[in-house]
Each structure stands twice: as C-alpha cells, then as structure tokens.
Amino acid sequence: MGIDPGLTRCGVGVVDGRPGAPGTMIAVGVVRTDPEAPLADRLLSLDDGLRAYLEEYEPEAVAVERVFSQHNVASVIGTAQASGIAILSGARLGLPTATYTPSEVKSAVCGNGTADKRQVTAMVTRILRLKEAPKPADAADALAIAICHLWRGGVKARIAAAVNKESSR
Amino acid sequence: MGIDPGLTRCGVGVVDGRPGAPGTMIAVGVVRTDPEAPLADRLLSLDDGLRAYLEEYEPEAVAVERVFSQHNVASVIGTAQASGIAILSGARLGLPTATYTPSEVKSAVCGNGTADKRQVTAMVTRILRLKEAPKPADAADALAIAICHLWRGGVKARIAAAVNKESSR
C-alpha cells in the first residue's frame, strides 16, 4: 500500500504484484480532511481513514513518500504531520514500513527522477493497464509509491536472499 | 499534560491546577527514541511512550507546542512528525487537544514572548515551587506548555461559561 501523505488530501493506492512484472491495482483513493477543522480532528480523521484502508485491504507492506523541506514551507509542516501518522499507521500493525524520496519513486516508475506529475500518472496508468488515469494526482502518486516499493523492495529482498545463501555456504 | 514535540527527545509534563493559581507538578520526563533506528520504529516508540504517560496520569487535556518552519530546516520535519503523533495521541483518547506557539507559552509563563530557555526553566521552577530546575530543557518546556494551557484554557473556559450564562438568561 502506497501513501502520498497530505493533511488535506492523502493519496492511498494498493497494488498487488512482484518485482519486474506489471502489478494489478487493488484499490485507489484519497483520505480527505476538512481544512477548517481543528488540527487534532484532522489528524484523527486521517488516522481513521488510513486504518480503514489497512483493515479492508490487509497489505503486506506500507510505503510512504518522504517529505522534503524544499516543498512549500507553509504546507511542509502539515505534510510532515500527515506522513508521521501514515508511517505510524503501518508500523502499529507490525507491517514493514518504508519511505522513498519523490525522485526514487519517479525513477522507479518513469526511469527518470525528474519526471513531472503528468508523466508519473501516464506511466502508472500504463503499468497497471488502467482504462483511465487515476484521479486526483495524489491517488496516482500513491499508486506510483506502491509500484516503487514492489519493484525496489523486491530487488532488495533478492539481494538479501542471495547474500544469505552465499554466507550460509 | 504538556508535550514539547521532538523525535529524539519529546518532553512531557503533567501539571495539576487551575487558572491564576500556581499549579502542582505531577510528573515530568522525556520520551527518547534512537536516532539510529528506522523512522517507523522511532514513531512507534514515541507513540508507545506518550500513551504510557496518558494511561498512567489520565490528564484532562493535552497541549502541544506548535512547530514553526523558522526552526532548523533539517530537524523541522522530524519535529512535525513527532507533533502529529503527539496531537493524535491525545485526540485518540477523546481528550481536548490544544496547540500553542512558542511565544504564547513564553508569554504565559514569563510574561514575555521572547524569553529564552533559561528564563522559561527558571519561571517553571518558581511557579511549580520545585526544589530543582527540571532537566533537560525539553522537560521544562513541556511543563511550561502545560501551565500555559491551564492558565489560558481556564480563561477561555470562563469566558465561554459567562457567554453561555448570558445567552441563557
């Protein structure tokens, strides 16, 4: 399950698959919170919304996009708070929880760490063989994060397995 | 219960009292997480640590210092993630959860929004009639946040009660 953290719109994408193969989209959506509501209520709504996805789809791992301070300074704090809650939501269930930088996600999906949002959406649509592009962009990003984890996590797991095999000889 | 959010050191201070009167310190401490550990583990440790305080001391309200982007850019994201988890920890239990800016906390405790850490620690020690200054500074700040909420929250509650009384005549 990939999460594109945000306080007003938090993208969620669930993908089934394995490294090197095109995956299958299981679910995609956005958890929204009311920008006019008190912060405590918003964080609680976000936590509840993410928990509902985790309980419904029971993912094997959670991947969250890393927050950078280069972002809009006014929104970075809210995004960081949302990311903390997203990472905690996976960790609380004992799931492996990884973070990826935006450029890692773009590289994995587009082969180019500086791809723009349009390119990411187009590649996600193609990789998952969707009839329509997922909307809004937060949802497409969440699917890209899930694909990134599937592919990169798989490679890491294969390397770890090879190292183990080698060292157990 | 006041919380000075931080990912490596998160200050916690529990104060009993009412507006205008010196309060009594019930507990003070710091939840620490290992800077070398994966982020997911750190956020989970922080959540567990705060929950332990909430369960042990059953505060009536939680107050958290607001994070500002003026802070050190490298650490602001971790601090914001910690603050999200701190606010959520109170909200999840249904407790009223407030945030205060650093200058609101300093004004409440020192009468001066630009007081330094040393002054805050000295005033907290005096207000709570402690024999020794609370250490580290994160712990003293957490007590200052709790005092700020007690005094300011109390004033807000009195105004709300007066308005209600007036409007119900």
Side-chain angles (χ1 to χ4, degrees), chain B residues 8 23 143 149:
Chain B
T8 302
L143 290 169
H149 182 70

Side-chain angles (χ1 to χ4, degrees), chain B residues 87-169:
Chain B
I87 295 166
L88 179 66
S89 72
R92 205 192 285 136
L93 296 177
L95 299 174
T97 302
T99 58
Y100 296 99
T101 65
S103 91
E104 285 174 327
V105 174
K106 289 169 183 174
S107 291
V109 172
C110 300
N112 169 8
T114 60
D116 63 21
K117 269 190 181 296
R118 208 171 37 82
Q119 287 173 290
V120 170
T121 299
M123 280 306 297
V124 163
T125 307
R126 193 179 306 171
I127 291 166
L128 298 175
R129 289 152 299 166
L130 305 175
K131 288 182 182 158
E132 290 186 359
K135 282 181 192 169
D138 314 75
D141 278 349
L143 290 169
I145 295 159
I147 293 167
C148 171
H149 182 70
L150 216 61
W151 290 0
R152 290 180 55 114
V155 169
K156 282 186 196 163
R158 281 210 305 273
I159 292 169
V163 168
N164 278 338
K165 198 176 168 187
E166 194 64 33
S167 62
S168 67
R169 273 187 184 175

Side-chain angles (χ1 to χ4, degrees), chain A residues 8-168:
Chain A
T8 302
R9 294 187 313 279
C10 183
V12 181
V14 184
V15 175
D16 187 28
R18 57 191 168 76
T24 306
M25 185 178 82
I26 304 296
V28 66
V30 174
V31 178
R32 292 169 199 275
T33 76
D34 178 3
E36 304 298 321
L39 179 59
D41 294 350
R42 300 183 73 185
L43 296 177
L44 195 56
S45 294
L46 174 61
D47 189 51
D48 287 345
L50 292 176
R51 192 183 313 212
Y53 274 96
L54 288 164
E55 286 176 358
E56 183 164 356
Y57 298 103
E58 299 183 339
E60 289 168 28
V62 172
V64 181
E65 191 162 278
R66 205 173 290 175
V67 184
F68 273 99
S69 47
Q70 292 94 306
H71 286 188
N72 175 359
V73 171
S75 68
V76 74
I77 290 171
T79 306
Q81 290 172 323
S83 83
I85 283 167
I87 295 166
L88 180 65
S89 72
R92 205 192 285 137
L93 296 178
L95 298 174
T97 302
T99 59
Y100 296 99
T101 64
S103 91
E104 285 175 326
V105 174
K106 289 169 184 173
S107 290
V109 172
C110 301
N112 169 7
T114 61
D116 63 20
K117 270 191 182 294
R118 207 171 37 80
Q119 288 173 288
V120 170
T121 299
M123 281 306 296
V124 163
T125 308
R126 194 178 306 172
I127 290 166
L128 299 176
R129 289 152 299 166
L130 305 176
K131 288 183 182 158
E132 289 186 358
K135 282 180 191 169
D138 313 77
D141 278 350
L143 291 170
I145 296 158
I147 293 167
C148 171
H149 182 70
L150 217 58
W151 291 359
R152 291 180 53 114
V155 169
K156 281 185 196 163
R158 281 210 304 274
I159 291 169
V163 168
N164 279 339
K165 201 176 165 187
E166 194 64 33
S167 63
S168 65

